[in-house]
């Protein structure tokens, strides 16, 4: 009986040792899998890293463009303002023909010519883009031109920016068009708040890695 009891005790001990060995092996495998997954995630992150983010995406910085070659950069953006009927009825529309026989239409309100004011605001906004968009480089803009055309009940704004530099001017063009649209909204909101800024989009971009010849 003693021998039988000793044998059974040894068998239980062997089973317990095998159980503990299996648990340890499983834990080791899980740790290895986790390490591999972390390495894969890190590798994937490194391959898809943005140039303005650190590898772990925990800090931001301006892109270093020091090694790039300065080229002629051009960008044009468009924003559309949609007027409700009450705005179209409340303001006077004046058509002018310039020296080059170009015909332009402006909205005249109590504050003055709305489109002319919006053009000035858009130019000022484009020049100050780097002060508002934190990772934009300050650019010595060579040209900012804003055109506003009234088509039916829509004011179609286009802002074109040009510079010879190492980085593009699409943000300046987008901001110029946006600020012009917001200025129009501000000057007509006394009549109606149903004015809509329908969309703002990049129309043309050239001089960098990508060339855009129309809205994407």
């Amino acid at each position: 009986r003693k021998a039988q009891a000793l044998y059974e005790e040894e068998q239980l001990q062997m089973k317990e040792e095998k159980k503990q060995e299996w648990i340890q092996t499983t834990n080791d495998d899980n740790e290895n899998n986790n390490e591999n997954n972390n390495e894969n995630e890190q590798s994937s992150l490194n391959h898809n890293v943005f140039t303005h983010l650190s590898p772990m995406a925990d800090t931001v910085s301006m892109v270093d463009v020091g090694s790039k070659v300065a080229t002629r950069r051009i960008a044009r953006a468009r924003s559309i303002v949609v007027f409700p009927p009450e705005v179209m009825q409340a303001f006077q529309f004046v058509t002018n023909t310039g020296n080059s026989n170009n015909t332009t239409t402006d909205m005249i309100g109590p504050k003055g010519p709305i489109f002319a004011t919006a053009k000035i605001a858009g130019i000022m906004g484009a020049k100050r883009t780097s002060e508002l968009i934190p990772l934009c480089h300050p650019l010595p803009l060579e040209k900012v031109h804003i055109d506003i055309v009234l088509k039916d009940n829509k004011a179609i704004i286009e802002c074109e920016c040009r510079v010879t530099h190492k980085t593009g001017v699409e943000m300046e063009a987008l901001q110029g068009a946006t600020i012009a649209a917001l200025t129009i909204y501000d000057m007509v909101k006394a009549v109606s708040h149903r004015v809509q800024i329908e969309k703002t989009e990049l129309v043309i971009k050239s001089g960098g890695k990508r060339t855009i010849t129309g809205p994407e």
Side-chain angles (χ1 to χ4, degrees):
R1 290 182 180 178
K2 289 183 179 180
Q4 181 66 25
L6 181 62
Y7 174 78
E8 291 178 355
E9 183 178 350
E10 289 177 351
Q11 290 296 315
L12 289 173
Q13 184 175 357
M14 289 178 61
K15 288 182 179 180
E16 183 64 25
E17 289 177 355
K18 287 183 178 181
K19 179 180 178 181
Q20 293 299 324
E21 183 179 353
W22 178 84
I23 293 174
Q24 182 63 42
T25 301
T26 302
N27 290 337
D28 291 342
D29 288 343
N30 289 336
E31 289 179 2
N32 291 334
N33 289 334
N34 290 335
E35 289 177 0
N36 291 334
N37 289 336
N38 291 335
E39 290 176 359
N40 291 335
E41 290 175 2
Q42 180 64 41
S43 176
S44 175
L45 181 60
N46 289 336
H47 280 88
N48 296 285
V49 68
F50 290 100
T51 53
H52 59 278
L53 296 176
S54 65
M56 292 302 296
D58 56 350
T59 61
V60 296
S61 63
M62 288 179 64
V63 176
D64 185 355
V65 297
S67 61
K68 292 186 176 182
V69 177
T71 59
R72 181 70 163 165
R73 310 285 185 131
I74 301 174
R76 185 187 304 161
R78 178 185 298 140
S79 189
I80 299 175
V81 181
V82 183
F83 303 114
E86 57 267 30
V87 169
M88 298 297 293
Q89 295 168 7
F91 292 92
Q92 179 183 1
F93 294 89
V94 176
T95 300
N96 299 313
T97 302
N99 295 331
S100 58
N101 293 325
N102 291 330
T103 301
T104 59
T105 301
D106 205 337
M107 296 176 66
I108 308 298
K111 296 181 180 181
I114 295 172
F115 292 172
T117 305
K119 290 178 182 180
I120 296 172
I123 292 171
M124 293 175 64
K127 291 164 61 177
R128 302 186 68 174
T129 299
S130 63
E131 297 179 25
L132 300 176
I133 311 298
L135 302 183
C136 282
H137 295 79
L139 296 180
L141 295 176
E142 296 163 355
K143 179 180 180 180
V144 181
H145 176 76
I146 295 182
D147 189 35
I148 302 177
V149 176
L150 184 67
K151 186 176 181 180
D152 298 327
N153 68 324
K154 297 181 179 181
I156 302 173
I157 306 163
E158 289 201 351
C159 176
E160 182 176 298
C161 295
R162 300 187 181 193
V163 71
T164 301
H165 210 272
K166 299 179 179 183
T167 188
V169 286
E170 56 266 35
M171 295 308 301
E172 284 72 13
L174 287 163
Q175 176 153 302
T178 300
I179 295 298
L182 289 171
T183 300
I184 292 174
Y185 186 101
D186 175 64
M187 296 186 73
V188 303
K189 71 180 188 297
V191 174
S192 176
H193 283 88
R194 296 199 301 125
V195 178
Q196 296 180 1
I197 299 176
E198 192 172 69
K199 63 179 178 179
T200 299
E201 60 185 338
L202 185 65
V203 179
I204 291 174
K205 175 184 177 295
S206 64
K209 291 182 179 180
R210 298 178 61 194
T211 296
I212 297 174
T213 57
E216 292 188 323

